[in-house]
Amino acid sequence: MAVEHQVQDLFDRIAPVYDGLNDWLSLGQHRIWKRMTVKWSEAREGDTCLDLCCGSGDLAVLLGAVVGQTGTVIGLDFAPAQLTIARQRSHHQPQIEWIQGDALTIPYPDNSFAAITMGYGLRNVSDIPTCLREIYRVLQPGKKAALLDFNPSELPWIQAFQQFYLNHIVVPVAAQWGLTSEYAYILSSLEKFPPGRKQVDLALQAGFNQAVHYSIAVDTMGVLVLTKQAE
């Protein structure tokens, strides 16, 4: 099975407990990080926005509140079980559309979106440079994308903390839900994920004229904020 299909199956399997586990494991802090991400995207009322790898829809719902009834939010994910949950939670926000699709071949024309967000998706795509080029392509000139994810810290004590937390807290809690291997995957994916400075380099190579990686949550998380040059 191809890597992308394995990841898709993983997120389909964890969909029923994804939100509850995220709340418990982050002590609710992930909701603050997601609000920060939406703020850094600089989405505005009336905008057309994209939440890429939207999962169960947290970021897209926050974007929907920002753009209001005059705006549009596209929540795109390749895991249908996650999209089912997202549709259920946004029934009061008709401005949000949920689309099954691939972050490596975003099914929209160039310059389609005034803001783009992504939560815990960049680490899971099979080709980060291609994903960044696609984000650049569909983002409007002068606009921003904000990508939230774990941060593979280069500080040894943070690395040790992340490994301890994932191995001794996250995985045992997930095991109670029968999801040991699914959440053990986080550590292996983090080991392959480039640090913030390398993410900045990859974003600049993809075409962005500005890229800043903000370390948050004591360097355990990060938000990569990208700006496409105005015409």
Side-chain angles (χ1 to χ4, degrees), residues 54-98:
C54 66
S56 60
D58 280 5
L59 277 168
V61 167
L62 291 172
L63 278 173
V66 172
V67 305
Q69 297 299 318
T70 60
T72 300
V73 175
I74 302 297
L76 186 144
D77 200 282
F78 64 178
Q82 294 278 5
L83 290 172
T84 296
I85 294 171
R87 290 188 182 97
Q88 292 170 352
R89 79 185 323 160
S90 66
H91 61 89
H92 61 294
Q93 290 178 292
Q95 70 272 40
I96 305 179
E97 301 175 23
W98 304 103

Side-chain angles (χ1 to χ4, degrees), residues 72-191:
T72 300
V73 175
I74 302 297
L76 186 144
D77 200 282
F78 64 178
Q82 294 278 5
L83 290 172
T84 296
I85 294 171
R87 290 188 182 97
Q88 292 170 352
R89 79 185 323 160
S90 66
H91 61 89
H92 61 294
Q93 290 178 292
Q95 70 272 40
I96 305 179
E97 301 175 23
W98 304 103
I99 304 295
Q100 187 174 1
D102 189 344
L104 303 184
T105 54
I106 299 173
Y108 290 92
D110 297 357
N111 307 323
S112 291
F113 300 102
I116 297 175
T117 59
M118 190 180 198
Y120 303 104
L122 193 64
R123 178 174 43 88
N124 291 308
V125 299
S126 60
D127 189 332
I128 290 175
T130 294
C131 181
L132 291 171
R133 287 193 296 269
E134 277 291 275
I135 292 171
Y136 178 86
R137 180 184 66 79
V138 299
L139 185 64
Q140 294 171 3
K143 301 301 184 179
K144 294 182 183 292
L147 318 181
L148 166 68
D149 217 310
F150 282 93
N151 182 38
S153 178
E154 296 181 276
L155 299 173
W157 72 274
I158 295 293
Q159 292 175 356
F161 169 77
Q162 286 177 320
Q163 292 174 354
F164 176 85
Y165 183 74
L166 290 168
N167 285 327
H168 297 282
I169 298 178
V170 172
V171 172
V173 169
Q176 297 178 24
W177 298 81
L179 298 170
T180 301
S181 61
E182 286 82 355
Y183 275 80
Y185 162 82
I186 295 175
L187 185 57
S188 63
S189 69
L190 189 59
E191 290 171 347

Side-chain angles (χ1 to χ4, degrees), residues 184-229:
Y185 162 82
I186 295 175
L187 185 57
S188 63
S189 69
L190 189 59
E191 290 171 347
K192 300 173 185 176
F193 194 42
R197 59 182 177 81
K198 178 61 175 177
Q199 294 176 41
V200 167
D201 291 341
L202 291 172
L204 295 175
Q205 292 169 20
F208 292 97
N209 69 305
Q210 292 182 20
V212 182
H213 186 269
Y214 294 99
S215 171
I216 60 175
V218 199
D219 208 37
T220 61
M221 301 286 162
V223 180
L224 181 64
V225 181
L226 311 174
T227 306
K228 184 173 180 176
Q229 186 169 1

